[in-house]
Amino acid sequence: ALLDAGVDVVEVTLNTRGALEMLGAISRHFGDRLVVGAGTVMSPEAADQAIAVGARLIVCPHLDEAIVRRAVERGVAVVPGGFTPTEIVRAWNAGASFVKVFPAGPVGPRYIRDVLAPLNHIPLVPTGGVSLDNATEFIRAGAAALGLGSALVDPKLVAAGRFADLTRTAQ
C-alpha cells in the first residue's frame, strides 16, 4: 500500500514484538524496491542483528556514536536522533546519513527552520509529532524527510486489511 503511494522507505521499530522477523520478511519480499529500516536501535549489537536480517537503514531515538560507527562500517545508512544544535552537529560529525530531530512535534516546523539557518548542510528528519496536518509545514521549513508512524499507517486499517485506504492516506 505504501509503495503504491510512492513511499519507498519504511521502518520497523525494534521494540515491536517480532521486529527482526518482520524486517527479514519485508526485506525478502520487497528486495530493492523498498528500503527497510530498523528503528529504536539502542545498541551496536541490535544494529548488527537488524542488518543481518536485511535492514538497510538504522534509526535511533538518540545519539550513540558506537551505533553510528557500526552502521557506517557495515555500509548501512544511519539516522541517529538529536534535538539540540549540539546533538545534531555531533550526530552529523559522527557519520550520520541524516539526523532525526526527536521529538519534533512540541517545537514544530519553526524549530527546524531556525536550526537549519546555521546548519543547512545537515539533512534533518523530524519525527515524533509529525502528522498529516503539519507535514507540509515541516517540508517548507527545510526538512529533508519526515518520520510518520500511526499518522500515516493506522493500525486499525492494517488489521482490517483496508490497504487501499492506507495508499490514499500516504498519497
Side-chain angles (χ1 to χ4, degrees), residues 118-144:
L119 303 178
N120 63 346
H121 63 289
I122 302 175
L124 301 181
V125 181
T127 69
V130 178
S131 68
L132 297 177
D133 294 329
N134 63 19
T136 300
E137 291 306 311
F138 276 107
I139 294 295
R140 285 188 183 135

Side-chain angles (χ1 to χ4, degrees), residues 19-111:
L20 291 174
E21 292 80 9
M22 281 187 266
L23 281 166
I26 294 167
S27 180
R28 286 188 302 276
H29 181 79
F30 291 99
D32 289 339
R33 296 184 301 145
L34 187 67
V35 174
V36 181
T40 316
V41 176
M42 301 299 293
S43 69
E45 295 76 22
D48 286 338
Q49 292 173 336
I51 292 166
V53 297
R56 295 174 33 212
L57 173 68
I58 298 297
V59 183
C60 310
H62 67 303
L63 171 59
D64 181 329
E65 287 91 344
I67 297 172
V68 174
R69 277 191 306 274
R70 184 69 55 89
V72 170
E73 289 167 0
R74 303 285 305 272
V76 173
V78 59
V79 185
F83 189 75
T84 67
T86 299
E87 293 168 342
I88 291 167
V89 170
R90 281 185 55 211
W92 184 249
N93 289 342
S97 307
F98 296 82
V99 179
K100 171 180 173 171
V101 178
F102 173 78
V107 292
R110 183 177 179 122
Y111 182 74

